[in-house]
Amino acid sequence: MTTSTTSVRSAPAGVASKRWWGVAAAMFAIAWGGNEFTPLLVMYKNHGLPATTVDLLLFYYVLGIVPALLIGGPLSDRYGRRTLLRPAPLISATGSLLLAFGSASVPVLSAGRVLCGVALGLAMAVGSSWLKELAQPPFGPALPGGTGARRSAMSLTGGFAVGAGSAGVLAQWAPWPNSLAYLINVTLCLAATAWVARAPETILPQANPGRLRDDLKVPAAAHRRFRCVALPVALWLFTSAGTAYAVMPTLMAPHIHGAPIAFSALVGVITLSCGFAIQSVARRIDKPGTARAAVVSLVFVTCGMVTAAWASGALTLWATLATAVILGAGYGIGLVAGLQEIERIARPDDLAGLTAVFYSVSYLGFGVPALLSFLHQHVGFGYPAMFTVAALIAAGSLTLVLRNYRPRKSVAADESALLRLPPR
């Protein structure tokens, strides 16, 4: 499939440099809504919901994310970025409303989580591509490669962090603990809906788009650099984040007297703040032609899983916070490393689809807390042993990336062949 950018007049530098803000604001608000549930896991468990049920609620929004990611990107290539992203904040707001007023019903909570996932999937697949296109002429001044990826990663991570922190604080000390955080997100999403509508469209709708089934094919997903560098990093993004701010606070809850929900929020904020902060220096870590950023990410992840094995046995405040810092850093560098690798691999008509595949794999990590809970409750495995196994698997991923640290000559030939493929 072919895509084309719209023809627009050059805008003044100050105006052009701000065109991406509405897209970033929508992604921020949607990410806020997607992650505000996480620090409330402790609250729902304290209200009597079984631990595995609550962890499954955390995972259910992956059921919305993955289809929206895989379909949203190709649809935005057909009909334009604005057409697909503008409804996403409204979908997120609807999900937050269900969560706000359905705390006594698992089916309603599940529906709310799925809708928040649909919105987040659209934000990731469509918003990431839109920000990349807005970071280059004619929609803005020529900027260094990877600018769009960093803006996308920072918008999402910032929303995840602020959403988690505010939800935990409000649920711990504010009135209406089951509802207030979600209602605030509804307001933010409505404001973001108006703002994103002002961002310029970068894709012309196609007159004869062909079959959607053909658009869902992403040839670049077979690229060796994607399989051996980007995907090993993707597998650990939300496995790391979920371990730090979903598993560890639950284990620590009996040992935190007085404010367990706020402590859960604190761990989430530390994890994602470390991820957000390190993204600002990821450009210096990343080196085109190598997998240096991916290697650094997986070193952090491996060390973080070792730390999690220690922390889950010690169950001390400082061990838990150390785990959050290390895994947060691994998450932050890995997110930027993966997105920048995709920008180098993808053709214009593959960018949204390849981004969708990357995020779909990464979000499978949110199933890890439920899996660990099941293995602990029904099989009897201890968390230190399970995190030790996770550290060994992370080390295996690191080894794979190191073996593909630089593109091989045959890989360069594959890239050339890929670029010569006829448009879909």
Side-chain angles (χ1 to χ4, degrees), residues 163-297:
S166 61
V169 169
L170 293 172
Q172 186 70 68
W173 290 298
W176 312 322
N178 294 339
S179 305
L180 184 58
Y182 298 123
L183 295 177
I184 291 174
N185 180 248
V186 171
T187 303
L188 290 173
C189 287
L190 293 177
T193 302
W195 198 354
V196 74
R198 299 169 58 186
E201 181 58 80
T202 55
I203 296 295
L204 282 174
Q206 296 179 2
N208 299 296
R211 298 183 304 176
L212 178 60
R213 182 175 63 185
D214 294 332
D215 292 350
L216 295 176
K217 299 175 183 178
V218 186
H223 195 288
R224 185 179 180 90
R225 295 290 291 180
F226 184 72
R227 290 184 291 108
C228 298
V229 176
L231 283 188
V233 171
L235 285 168
W236 291 99
L237 291 182
F238 293 106
T239 298
S240 298
T243 294
Y245 61 62
V247 177
M248 292 306 304
T250 298
L251 297 179
M252 283 292 296
H255 305 274
I256 302 297
H257 303 290
I261 302 172
F263 176 75
S264 178
L266 174 65
V267 174
V269 169
I270 290 174
T271 303
L272 293 166
S273 295
C274 289
F276 181 87
I278 207 163
Q279 286 169 12
S280 64
V281 298
R283 180 171 58 87
R284 298 189 182 97
I285 298 172
D286 180 70
K287 184 179 180 181
T290 73
R292 185 164 69 181
V295 167
V296 173
S297 171

Side-chain angles (χ1 to χ4, degrees), residues 390-414:
L392 293 174
I393 299 173
S397 299
L398 174 59
T399 301
L400 175 61
V401 173
L402 284 170
R403 291 180 61 185
N404 293 273
Y405 188 77
R406 295 182 185 276
R408 302 174 186 176
K409 291 183 179 179
S410 60
V411 173
D414 290 343

Side-chain angles (χ1 to χ4, degrees), residues 298-394:
L298 288 171
V299 168
F300 272 108
V301 170
T302 303
C303 294
M305 288 298 169
V306 172
T307 308
W310 162 59
S312 61
L315 292 178
T316 64
L317 173 67
W318 296 111
T320 301
L321 296 182
T323 302
V325 169
I326 298 170
L327 290 177
Y331 157 81
I333 299 174
L335 184 55
V336 173
L339 291 176
Q340 292 194 162
E341 196 70 44
I342 287 169
E343 283 194 6
R344 296 178 189 126
I345 294 170
R347 302 176 305 177
D349 62 334
D350 268 336
L351 178 62
L354 199 59
T355 302
V357 175
F358 174 79
Y359 276 130
S360 296
V361 172
S362 72
Y363 264 96
L364 295 177
F366 270 122
V368 170
L371 175 62
L372 296 181
S373 178
F374 175 83
L375 292 175
H376 178 68
Q377 292 185 13
H378 299 286
V379 183
F381 291 164
Y383 278 92
M386 290 189 287
F387 285 133
T388 299
V389 172
L392 293 174
I393 299 173

Side-chain angles (χ1 to χ4, degrees), residues 14-87:
V15 175
S17 65
K18 297 178 181 179
R19 286 178 163 179
W20 61 276
W21 287 9
V23 180
M27 295 176 71
F28 178 89
I30 292 168
W32 175 314
N35 206 40
E36 62 189 343
F37 181 86
T38 307
L40 306 186
L41 294 174
V42 173
M43 179 186 75
Y44 289 116
K45 290 173 182 177
N46 288 343
H47 287 177
L49 288 179
T52 302
T53 298
V54 176
D55 288 333
L56 283 173
L57 286 170
L58 177 67
F59 177 72
Y60 282 158
Y61 96 132
V62 178
L63 302 180
I65 289 172
V66 172
L69 276 169
L70 297 177
I71 299 174
L75 286 178
S76 75
D77 288 339
R78 283 172 166 247
Y79 303 115
R81 308 302 189 207
R82 186 192 291 119
T83 302
L84 268 293
L85 189 60
R86 190 175 182 182

